[in-house]
Amino acid sequence: MRSIIVFFIAMFAFGFSLEAQTAPENILSFEEFLGYVKKYHPIMKQADIVLSSGEANLLKARGGFDPKIEVDYDRKKFKGTEYYDTFYSTFKVPTWYGVEFKANFENNTGYYLDPSLTVPEDGLYSAGVSFSLAQGLLIDERMATLKKAKYFKDQTAAERNLLVNNLLFEASKAYFNWLQAATEQDIYTTSLQNAKQRYEAVVLSVEEGDKAAIDATEARITYQNRELGLEAANLHMQKARLELSNYLWVNDIPMEVQPDVMPELPSVDSLKASLALKNLDNDDALLQLHPKVLSLDAKIGQLDIDKFYKKTKLLPKLDLQYNFLTQDVDQINSFNTANYKAFVNFSMPLFLRKERGDLRLANLKLEDAKLDRVNSVLKIKNKAEAIQAELTSLETQNALIKNIVQDYETMVKAEERKFALGDSSLFLINSREQKLIDAQLKENDLLTKQLVAVAKLYNSLGLTIE
C-alpha cells in the first residue's frame, strides 16, 4: 500500500512541475494595461479638459485688450420737429499700462440740440489718447487679470498632471491586487490538488484495511479546508478582476477582463522603468517640479499680482484724456493743438479704509499660500523618504521570505519521503504543508506590497508618464 501512496506523491510532484511550467495563453502585462489606461480612460480626457479650461481662461483675459468699435445713435422727432439726431462712433485700441488710443467721429443735428454737441455740417473727427498717471499706471484690472490668467494656465497644467498621476497610481494598485489574487488562487489550487490526491490514496488504503477510518476523516478535513480556502481565493480573484475592469476602456466603451485572462508579474526594475522611476538622482529638483508644488507656485504668483494691484489702489485716481479735433480727416496736418478736447478726473478716498483692508487681506492670503507651499514640500519629501525606506525593507523581507518558502518546500518533500518509508504520518505532512502555504501567502503579500510601494513612490513624486 505504501507503493500506492508513493505513486500518488510522485504523480502530484510531476503534475505540479508541469503546471508550474505551463503559462496561460491570455496574458495582460502591466505595461499593456497601463497603455490602455493612458490612451482610453475617461479621466485622461477629463484631465485634458482641465488643461483646456486654463487656456480658455487665458484667451478670455487677453480679450480685455481687444480693439473695440462702439456706436451710439440717438434721435427724437415729435410733431414734425426734429428735436435732436446724434451719432457718435469710436474705435478704441487698449494697450499695456492703461494707455488707450481712440479715433472718434460724431455728427449731431436738431432744433433742440445741446449747444455743446454742435459740430460742423459734415461731422467732427477726433483722435486722442487716455491714460492714468497714478492708480492704474503700473497695473490695472485688465493687466492684473491677464497676468493671473497666465499663472492659472500653469496651475491647470499642474492639476492635469496631478490628476493623471493619481489615476495611474490607482490603476497600478488595482493591477497588483489582481496579480496577488491570481497568485493566491494558484497556491490554493495546487494545495487542493495535493490534498485531493492524498485523500483518495488514504481512502484506498482504508478500503484495503491498511489504514484506520479516522485517517480518511483527517484527510477529508484537510481537503475540505483547502476547498474553503480556494473558494475564498476565487471570490478575491473575481472582485479584483472587476475592480481592474474599472480602468479598462476602448473608444469610450467600458471593457471587462475575462476570467481566462491572467496577469504577469513584472520585475521591480521593469516596473520602475514603466513608471519613470529609473535614473532619478536629484530629489530636490524633483520636489520643485512636483505638480502640487507647481500648482502652489502658480497660486502664489496670482496672489502676488493681486497684492500688487491692491497696493496701487492706495494711490489717488488721476485719469487724463486728450483728443485732437478736425473736420477734414483727409488732411493729416489739420490735427493740431489749437483744436482739442481734454478731460481730467481726480478722486481719492480720505481714509482708504476699504483699500487698506483689501491690501491686508491680500497679504494674509499670500502669506498663507507661502506657508502651505513650505509645508507641502516638507510633507512630499518626508513621504518619499519613508517610501524609499519601505522599499529597502521590503526588498530585504522578500529575500528572507523566499528562503523561508524554499526551506518549507524542502521540509515537505522530506516529510513525504519519511511517510513513504513509514517513519511519518499524514498529520505531519499536512501540518508542514500548511506552514508552506502560509509562507507562500506571506511571500505573495510581501511581493505585492513591494510593487505597490514602487507605485506609491511614483505617486509621491508626482511624476508624469505619457
Side-chain angles (χ1 to χ4, degrees), residues 327-341:
Q327 62 183 6
D328 302 316
V329 71
D330 54 339
Q331 299 178 15
I332 192 64
N333 59 358
S334 63
F335 288 99
N336 59 71
T337 57
N339 301 316
Y340 66 89
K341 182 170 67 173

Side-chain angles (χ1 to χ4, degrees), residues 105 108 343 395:
F105 171 74
N108 310 315
F343 170 82
E395 185 177 356

Side-chain angles (χ1 to χ4, degrees), residues 433-444:
E433 191 176 45
Q434 184 59 50
K435 291 182 178 180
L436 171 61
I437 293 171
D438 293 340
Q440 288 174 331
L441 293 174
K442 181 66 174 178
E443 180 185 30
N444 184 31

Side-chain angles (χ1 to χ4, degrees), residues 190-215:
T190 301
S191 67
L192 178 63
Q193 291 173 349
N194 193 13
K196 181 180 179 181
Q197 290 175 351
R198 287 181 183 143
Y199 172 62
E200 290 174 347
V202 170
V203 169
L204 185 59
S205 296
V206 171
E207 290 175 351
E208 294 183 358
D210 292 338
K211 293 286 182 183
I214 195 66
D215 291 333

